[in-house]
Amino acid sequence: MEYVIEMLNIRKEFPGIVANDDVSVRLIKGEIHALLGENGAGKSTLMSVLFGMYRPEKGIIKKNGIEINIKDPNEANRQGIGMVHQHFKLVENFTALQNIILGVEDTKNGVLLMDDARTKVVELSEKYGLMIKPDELIENMTVGMQQRVEILKMLYRENEILIFDEPTAVLTPQEIDELMSIMRKLVKEDKSIIFITHKLNEIKEVADRCTVLRKGKGIGTVDVETTTKEEMSEMMVGRKIDLKIDKALTKPGKIIFEVENLSVISKWSKKKVVNNVSLKVRQGEIVCIAGIDGNGQSDLVYALTGIGPHLGGKITLNGEDITDSSIRHRNKAGMAHIPEDRHKYGLILDYKLSKNLVLKKYFEEGFQKNKVINYSNVKEYSDKLIEKYDVRTGQGSNTLTRSMSGGNQQKAILAREIEENPEILIAVQPTRGLDVGAIEYIHKQLVKQRDAGRAILLISLELDEVMNLSDKILVIYEGEIVAALNPEETNIKELGLYMAGSKRSEVVS
Amino acid sequence: MNLIKNVTAKEGYHKIMGSVSAIIIGLIFGFLVLLLANSSNAFEGFITIVAGGFTGGGRGVGQVLYFATPLILTGLSVGVAFKTGMFNIGAPGQFVMGAVSAVYVGVHVTFLPAPFHWIIALLAAAIVGGIWGFIPGMLKAFFNVHEVIATIMMNYIGMYLCNFIVKKTVYNSLKNISLDVKSSAVIPKAGLDKIFVTLHGNYSDVSTVNGGILIAFGIAVFIYFIMEKTTLGYELKAVGFNKNASKYAGINEKRNIILAMTIAGALAGLGGGLLFLSGPSGRHLAVVDVLAMEGFNGISVALLGLSNPIGIIFSAIFISYLAQSGTYLQTLNYMPEVVDIIIAVIIYFSAFALVIRQVLPKLRKKFYERKSQLPTASEEKESNGGEK
């Protein structure tokens, strides 16, 4: 077998952890090779090594059987290795063309020669069906378009080995389909692709082979055709995973949480980022707001929870008007909130775990007397929660929250919020950045809360999560609710059209 | 052996070692400066620095405590603000405004009976100092004006206002300083004059130190209690660590920012009161256009004491001790500023304490890994795992 790139026995250490331990990946010319692993499994580190951003402690890299030394990204480029990063590296106020030639400009006497470049870009764009307008500014482009500019950047530099770092995380389902077909065209032209992801569906659809990493170790390389999703997820997590959630039939009760005609004006642009949103959540149901990132979800949640401002409208919780109530009052009235950004809002990272678990309770009877906190009660309560919610830590209640893993931090927030016994639980992207095991746990907890008769408002970008968990789906697009759907009667395709704004219904909850 | 191993594993040990290494580096640097300036007396000079406050016998030690009193308070002021995520560079202004308020009450509010006079004067100092912290706190909370800018401005307003008030109301024009406060406004000696005294034959040289140092100790302990044990401390520190998460949890972060700055200001103001309510032999407010050093030294004290109230007691006494040795250094023809250089170097390196704190555990780990054979190495790793 002829390998275009071989990474053999790579070891990369960071202070305190081994990110890659004796990992080998072999890329065949003209294949799409998926790199699968949970968060923190070492996928991105491995690719950063290949792209010359890190030097490995051990191991060698071979290209076409000859050992090469990649000391920086420029060297990687010369070797024909290109990378589309998860966060694009584009100059926002430059055009597509300017971004593509940036760093490899042709000049004559200090004057830019753009014509040849333009011809080449247009040719490439047509050849691979990228449909890029060379003179459009990046800031006016959709995320999918920007990604295609990044792809063009690699093609323009005549890279043969293309690395895609979680390219689908930011795309709508339609854009994902387009990306897949672009990737297929690329390999048809003899390019080789390494595709980092933790989504099994995408691997099944497009990849030829798949290398699985777990906790920095290479678990193995499998043929995608002959391996099931369940087998791959077991390799990734190290145990069997229940991908489908069992959900009993819902029996929604009375309306607990109601929002009427709520709007939010952006501080910067004075535009309405949330426009006239109305919704209802009943006891025992999960209402999900689906949408692509940046369509007003954050501002909506800030307004609902009292963190941010709102313009007009009315918010009712359990019959009480809480539109202008303080955050503390909302909490006491029965609102719990799993925030989108657990580091910015959810936790005080420099407090130990026990103090974070009482973040909304420290002032209550039993935890304080005459304003003096009873820390032995706090610790007792915290120990109880840690056990009940299986939060894994180094030193139990005394663990510094900052030192905990993302999944366990999220479990701690979940524990704290559920133990508030809320009337309404607002969960914003509760599984963002978590691995399959933690996602499974959090989904089960949310469904358990629903079955216990709680009202849950879920804001999610993950379509699988939306389809699996919700009893009712609202789609948000540019700050407006554009559709109310029943998950039993819709599918991911239709959802995607609403999310992209190309379809809308007038039926709103 | 195990004891040493366990003690060195504690986080507190690394913190203290950070400060101690800074002090050692500072002293070595000071010795080099002495060598450069006048090598023949360098060794003697260094001994003077190290012997510091003890050189003057009982009175000398008393003076160390007297000058440590305001440093404890300004150190607490800066430390409390640090813990709540703010840099209170306004201690000089708060200090001097507290001082002038205390002196004004001490000189003019004479109808108060003796036991209350000094207490009221101290309260005035705390209140006015508090106002000097409250204003930047308000500006920060409601208009997002950075507290460093606001407090620097408040420093100059405080300094000139203080000069103005002294000249208009409590002026001793002969010496260009403030008048002596009434004896009822002097903080009681609390028996300390019996302890901190140097006898020269029949003549006893009594230190200026008074009950103020005990009040300072008490306040440091009180602040420790507030910050570590109460809901107020929980909220203040939460806001300091993460304003957004505090807001999310329903803590009124604006109120806490204002409160923290007000407490910081009151502490520094109280420091001013404690230093200047000290009778004829004590310090007097001088009419000069210089920001009060006690205020700025509060930053050094807080840094060296790692913003921990108990640590601040020790670091304040230490800085005062060094400052006193500067006085004695002059007998060897050295400038007392040598001590300022040493203090500056120590502060510089206590900023490096963070680095030292990161290096120490690693050195320790290497040391024990080399010593221990393989079976115990795994146990070592476990005990280390939690530290990070």
Side-chain angles (χ1 to χ4, degrees):
Chain A
M1 192 77 70
E2 203 181 309
Y3 296 113
V4 58
I5 282 285
E6 288 172 272
M7 298 181 78
L8 300 174
N9 310 97
I10 300 291
R11 181 182 175 88
K12 175 71 203 162
E13 288 176 31
F14 293 109
I17 52 161
V18 181
N20 289 146
D21 185 7
D22 200 20
V23 181
S24 298
V25 178
R26 292 183 178 84
L27 181 65
I28 303 172
K29 195 168 178 62
E31 75 163 342
I32 298 181
H33 192 116
L35 203 54
L36 175 68
E38 296 184 288
N39 286 291
K43 297 167 294 188
S44 293
T45 308
L46 189 64
M47 285 306 108
S48 300
V49 167
L50 181 57
F51 196 55
M53 291 190 289
Y54 298 133
R55 305 297 302 271
E57 266 81 39
K58 264 187 214 149
I60 53 170
I61 301 172
K62 284 183 182 173
K63 187 187 170 196
N64 298 325
I66 302 155
E67 189 176 338
I68 54 170
N69 179 15
I70 304 173
K71 56 182 192 303
D72 56 40
N74 289 334
E75 178 62 31
N77 235 316
R78 277 192 287 279
Q79 298 286 355
I81 301 168
M83 185 163 178
V84 177
H85 297 269
Q86 207 171 350
H87 303 281
F88 305 146
K89 315 249 182 240
L90 296 169
V91 182
E92 290 269 306
N93 52 358
F94 271 19
T95 63
L97 180 62
Q98 286 169 328
N99 266 292
I100 290 165
I101 63 166
L102 190 63
V104 290
E105 311 88 354
D106 285 323
T107 55
K108 191 182 175 189
N109 304 327
V111 179
L112 275 174
L113 299 174
M114 300 288 269
D115 291 343
D116 290 353
R118 181 189 307 274
T119 322
K120 190 173 166 190
V121 165
V122 171
E123 262 171 30
L124 283 170
S125 170
E126 275 167 11
K127 183 172 169 190
Y128 294 101
L130 297 174
M131 296 180 295
I132 289 292
K133 295 187 195 114
D135 295 314
E136 194 168 347
L137 289 176
I138 297 296
E139 58 193 5
N140 297 334
M141 289 184 179
T142 63
V143 176
M145 283 281 232
Q146 293 181 5
Q147 191 172 57
R148 279 181 259 152
V149 175
E150 284 278 15
I151 296 172
L152 258 180
K153 255 165 86 177
M154 298 193 295
L155 298 175
Y156 186 82
R157 285 159 178 73
E158 284 161 10
N159 290 332
E160 295 298 319
I161 297 115
L162 313 178
I163 307 167
F164 287 81
D165 189 359
E166 306 222 4
T168 56
V170 288
L171 302 180
T172 64
Q174 280 75 19
E175 285 175 320
I176 292 174
D177 284 349
E178 283 169 30
L179 177 69
M180 300 281 168
S181 77
I182 291 169
M183 284 166 78
R184 283 191 206 100
K185 276 184 200 158
L186 288 168
V187 289
K188 215 169 276 171
E189 297 290 331
D190 262 359
K191 309 273 186 198
S192 315
I193 293 179
I194 297 179
F195 173 36
I196 304 178
T197 186
H198 55 244
K199 290 181 187 157
L200 297 162
N201 292 338
E202 294 165 3
I203 293 179
K204 264 300 196 195
E205 194 182 332
V206 77
D208 300 308
R209 294 193 308 147
C210 171
T211 296
V212 184
L213 298 186
R214 190 200 316 152
K215 290 178 183 156
K217 291 198 170 67
I219 300 299
T221 303
V222 295
D223 204 37
V224 172
E225 196 82 39
T226 57
T227 316
T228 65
K229 279 196 270 183
E230 282 70 24
E231 282 166 334
M232 283 193 276
S233 75
E234 204 180 324
M235 282 175 81
M236 168 163 78
V237 186
R239 63 183 170 89
K240 282 210 188 315
I241 284 288
D242 215 352
L243 291 173
K244 191 82 188 158
I245 297 155
D246 289 325
K247 227 172 55 175
L249 221 63
T250 169
K251 17 186 190 318
K254 62 170 181 153
I255 296 172
I256 278 292
F257 187 64
E258 191 169 3
V259 179
E260 292 164 81
N261 305 325
L262 189 80
S263 295
V264 177
I265 284 207
S266 157
K267 211 161 53 172
W268 312 112
S269 63
K270 304 287 170 207
K271 268 197 323 210
K272 272 194 182 177
V273 283
V274 175
N275 194 354
N276 225 10
V277 165
S278 301
L279 57 90
K280 295 184 183 104
V281 190
R282 292 164 203 275
Q283 282 178 330
E285 74 171 354
I286 299 178
V287 173
C288 178
I289 300 181
I292 303 165
D293 201 5
N295 273 289
Q297 294 99 320
S298 304
D299 293 286
L300 174 62
V301 171
Y302 292 158
L304 295 181
T305 54
I307 290 173
H310 62 89
L311 178 81
K314 190 177 170 194
I315 307 167
T316 322
L317 174 55
N318 218 354
E320 184 192 355
D321 183 352
I322 56 158
T323 317
D324 294 303
S325 303
S326 70
I327 298 172
R328 169 108 355 135
H329 183 88
R330 282 172 217 237
N331 290 344
K332 283 183 177 164
M335 180 188 282
H337 173 198
I338 298 173
E340 176 183 9
D341 188 334
R342 59 179 161 264
H343 289 173
K344 188 172 174 194
Y345 286 105
L347 295 165
I348 292 170
L349 292 173
D350 293 305
Y351 266 177
K352 52 189 185 185
L353 179 57
S354 60
K355 282 179 151 188
N356 268 301
L357 288 172
V358 295
L359 194 58
K360 289 178 173 177
K361 271 191 181 320
Y362 68 92
F363 50 85
E364 281 178 11
E365 203 75 25
F367 292 113
Q368 61 93 14
K369 199 176 175 190
N370 301 325
K371 305 276 179 203
V372 177
I373 295 181
N374 183 337
Y375 277 110
S376 65
N377 284 2
V378 168
K379 179 154 189 310
E380 202 178 301
Y381 175 77
S382 153
D383 287 344
K384 201 180 81 192
L385 258 58
I386 290 172
E387 202 190 317
K388 186 169 166 191
Y389 291 88
D390 189 29
V391 184
R392 311 244 172 99
T393 60
Q395 298 159 302
S397 290
N398 289 328
T399 314
L400 193 66
T401 317
R402 186 182 290 284
S403 70
M404 291 163 51
S405 73
N408 283 305
Q409 289 176 345
Q410 192 72 352
K411 276 186 185 174
I413 294 175
L414 191 80
R416 182 181 73 209
E417 297 305 312
I418 289 178
E419 289 296 314
E420 287 280 304
N421 284 322
E423 302 278 350
I424 171 96
L425 175 62
I426 301 179
V428 191
Q429 295 190 52
T431 58
R432 178 157 93 165
L434 301 188
D435 56 54
V436 184
I439 290 174
E440 180 194 24
Y441 179 85
I442 284 170
H443 282 173
K444 282 191 173 149
Q445 284 291 334
L446 289 177
V447 171
K448 207 169 126 193
Q449 292 306 308
R450 177 198 87 137
D451 294 344
R454 301 249 167 82
I456 295 176
L457 182 63
L458 173 72
I459 288 90
S460 178
L461 310 176
E462 299 283 341
L463 285 176
D464 287 340
E465 183 167 281
V466 173
M467 295 302 283
N468 271 338
L469 284 181
S470 46
D471 299 307
K472 190 194 272 176
I473 303 171
L474 304 174
V475 182
I476 190 165
Y477 175 70
E478 296 197 333
E480 280 181 81
I481 302 285
V482 293
L485 305 165
N486 182 340
E488 304 293 324
E489 294 160 9
T490 186
N491 55 43
I492 288 193
K493 279 266 172 316
E494 191 189 13
L495 209 52
L497 289 174
Y498 282 113
M499 283 164 64
S502 47
K503 195 176 169 194
R504 60 186 296 158
S505 69
E506 290 308 313
V507 205
V508 167
S509 73
Chain B
M1 201 57 228
N2 255 333
L3 181 74
I4 294 176
K5 197 169 156 184
N6 289 338
V7 167
T8 52
K10 291 252 160 58
E11 210 198 341
Y13 163 81
H14 296 298
K15 283 185 177 173
I16 292 169
M17 279 314 287
S19 293
V20 170
S21 355
I23 288 168
I24 292 170
I25 295 169
L27 288 175
I28 294 172
F29 194 86
F31 182 61
L32 293 178
V33 171
L34 292 181
L35 268 178
L36 270 175
N38 179 357
S39 52
S40 58
N41 279 342
F43 192 68
E44 216 178 320
F46 187 70
I47 296 295
T48 309
I49 291 174
V50 177
F54 290 119
T55 314
R59 178 181 184 276
V61 177
Q63 291 310 95
V64 167
L65 292 179
Y66 174 62
F67 287 107
T69 308
L71 291 184
I72 292 174
L73 271 300
T74 52
L76 287 173
S77 166
V78 178
V80 165
F82 268 145
K83 288 249 161 159
T84 44
M86 283 177 290
F87 189 22
N88 177 26
I89 209 165
Q94 296 147 6
F95 171 84
V96 87
M97 285 310 291
V100 75
S101 313
V103 171
Y104 182 88
V105 173
V107 172
H108 289 295
V109 188
T110 48
F111 59 86
L112 292 163
F116 297 115
H117 196 179
W118 63 271
I119 294 174
I120 299 293
L122 281 183
L123 276 179
I127 290 167
V128 175
I131 293 171
W132 242 244
F134 172 79
I135 295 169
M138 287 280 284
L139 291 172
K140 165 109 181 167
F142 291 108
F143 303 104
N144 212 14
V145 177
H146 201 283
E147 74 278 3
V148 167
I149 309 286
T151 51
I152 287 177
M153 295 303 141
M154 292 303 282
N155 277 345
Y156 286 97
I157 298 173
M159 177 183 82
Y160 289 115
L161 197 59
C162 170
N163 285 349
F164 175 77
I165 295 172
V166 169
K167 275 193 165 174
K168 281 284 175 201
T169 62
V170 289
Y171 196 39
N172 177 347
S173 54
L174 276 178
K175 296 184 185 163
N176 192 27
I177 57 172
S178 60
L179 292 168
D180 290 350
V181 295
K182 296 282 176 291
S183 58
S184 58
V186 174
I187 299 168
K189 290 279 184 187
L192 294 176
D193 53 338
K194 307 278 191 303
I195 305 168
F196 299 110
V197 57
T198 308
L199 294 172
H200 300 287
N202 283 334
Y203 170 67
S204 55
D205 197 359
V206 182
S207 161
T208 330
V209 70
N210 57 32
I213 185 74
L214 302 178
I215 295 174
F217 287 165
I219 287 172
V221 173
F222 179 66
I223 292 291
Y224 177 82
F225 176 77
I226 292 278
M227 294 305 282
E228 299 301 324
K229 304 289 176 200
T230 66
T231 54
L232 176 64
Y234 180 94
E235 289 185 2
L236 287 174
K237 279 164 74 175
V239 171
F241 282 134
N242 187 340
K243 217 162 77 171
N244 292 312
S246 306
K247 184 177 178 180
Y248 153 86
I251 295 169
N252 187 338
E253 89 282 12
K254 288 187 168 39
R255 187 188 79 115
N256 276 285
I257 286 171
I258 297 170
L259 200 57
M261 283 306 286
T262 308
I263 292 173
L267 287 168
L270 200 55
L274 288 176
L275 183 66
F276 290 99
L277 292 178
S278 54
S281 64
R283 283 277 306 273
H284 291 73
L285 278 165
V287 180
V288 286
D289 293 347
V290 178
L291 292 174
M293 273 324 288
E294 288 84 354
F296 284 125
N297 282 340
I299 300 170
S300 320
V301 168
L303 277 174
L304 200 58
L306 302 168
S307 297
N308 177 312
I310 308 304
I312 283 171
I313 293 181
F314 288 105
S315 64
I317 292 175
F318 175 73
I319 298 253
S320 170
Y321 180 91
L322 276 188
Q324 282 302 301
S325 62
T327 335
Y328 304 117
L329 210 53
Q330 291 174 79
T331 59
L332 295 168
N333 268 337
Y334 283 110
M335 289 294 167
E337 281 79 8
V338 171
V339 166
D340 290 337
I341 295 176
I342 295 175
I343 294 176
V345 171
I346 290 174
I347 301 315
Y348 222 89
F349 277 90
S350 40
F352 282 101
L354 198 69
V355 181
I356 296 170
R357 247 148 65 194
Q358 280 165 351
V359 172
L360 269 179
K362 272 186 202 159
L363 286 178
R364 174 179 170 277
K365 200 175 155 196
K366 268 194 187 149
F367 177 74
Y368 282 109
E369 261 173 14
R370 203 171 300 151
K371 274 188 68 161
S372 59
Q373 296 305 314
L374 279 172
T376 47
S378 64
E379 161 209 314
E380 175 64 18
K381 233 176 210 157
E382 263 175 33
S383 73
N384 258 337
E387 276 172 39
K388 280 165 211 128

